[in-house]
Amino acid sequence: MQVTIMKARNIFKLYQQALARRPYLVQAIQTGTLMATGDIISQTFIERKSFKDVDLKRTVGFSSIGFFVGGPALRVWYGLLNNHIGSDGKAVALKKVFVDQVVFAPAFLLLILTAVGTLQGKNWENIEKDVEANYLDVLKTNYYVWPWVQLVNFYYIPLQYQVLVVQSVALFWNTYLSWKTNRKRLIE
């Protein structure tokens, strides 16, 4: 048991060192990895595909959204919130949650839905139809989950770990998004 704890501490220490040296890269990799994992969970557990039937192109596409967009965007966003609203206190955490959910969440979800449609090879007209069909439902579901997560995140978690905390919870969120954005394709 002690050996396992020591190994976990060493891994976390390596993570901290990498995060300090290359915060954008580390957070891009972790976000991309967790989005890929969410897609695989969606395909295998929700859509009931066997591992050999997993659509790897879809997984790589979903992961690339996390790597190139999600991780870097979240890192920049949390830095902006920290610089312009503050870094600690209950009132600061509440302000951050409010701004995050009113400004960032709606725009980011629109970007994600558009990116997924683009990676699925859809034309602009079909992307617009998908966004119209899914956006409000995804945004509403977002409001059930994320304000509470962000309140804890902004109040208790240091800035350098906020993306990790969000992406850990987002593993389940990414599974939902993957299922939601591919549901129509599964029916066709």
Side-chain angles (χ1 to χ4, degrees):
M1 182 72 159
Q2 275 188 322
V3 172
T4 304
I5 292 170
M6 290 189 58
K7 285 182 182 179
R9 284 184 184 154
N10 288 339
I11 290 170
F12 188 68
K13 188 175 182 179
L14 289 172
Y15 170 77
Q16 287 177 307
Q17 291 169 348
L19 188 59
R21 280 193 307 267
R22 304 246 192 252
Y24 290 97
L25 179 61
V26 169
Q27 291 173 342
I29 290 169
Q30 77 191 17
T31 304
T33 301
L34 289 167
M35 285 190 78
T37 304
D39 182 66
I40 290 170
I41 291 169
S42 175
Q43 290 189 56
T44 56
F45 291 102
I46 296 172
E47 299 164 31
R48 306 244 187 246
K49 291 182 182 178
S50 69
F51 279 107
K52 67 180 171 91
D53 294 326
V54 166
D55 182 349
L56 290 178
K57 181 180 175 191
R58 170 181 145 180
T59 301
V60 168
F62 205 63
S63 175
S64 68
I65 294 169
F67 183 83
F68 293 108
V69 179
L74 287 169
R75 178 67 178 108
V76 168
W77 178 245
Y78 292 162
L80 287 171
L81 288 175
N82 218 46
N83 290 337
H84 295 287
I85 297 177
S87 60
D88 60 10
K90 290 178 187 174
V92 167
L94 288 170
K95 287 177 191 175
K96 283 181 173 182
V97 170
F98 178 78
V99 173
D100 182 67
Q101 293 302 301
V102 170
V103 176
F104 186 79
F108 190 67
L109 289 173
L110 181 61
L111 176 66
I112 295 291
L113 293 175
T114 303
V116 168
T118 301
L119 288 171
Q120 291 172 343
K122 295 180 179 178
N123 63 30
W124 184 248
E125 184 178 311
N126 286 332
I127 291 171
E128 283 183 295
K129 286 179 186 177
D130 284 354
V131 168
E132 194 173 297
N134 291 318
Y135 180 74
L136 288 178
D137 190 42
V138 170
L139 185 62
K140 186 169 81 174
T141 304
N142 166 83
Y143 290 137
Y144 286 121
V145 175
W146 288 108
W148 309 109
V149 171
Q150 292 294 46
L151 188 59
V152 169
N153 196 33
F154 293 141
Y155 187 67
Y156 292 107
I157 307 300
L159 177 63
Q160 69 267 29
Y161 303 120
Q162 288 177 357
V163 174
L164 176 63
V165 168
V166 164
Q167 287 306 317
S168 297
V169 174
L171 178 59
F172 303 102
W173 180 252
N174 295 335
T175 301
Y176 164 74
L177 282 179
S178 177
W179 168 78
K180 185 77 171 167
T181 57
N182 286 287
R183 188 177 54 168
K184 238 183 190 175
R185 287 179 55 199
L186 300 171
I187 295 169
E188 294 170 353

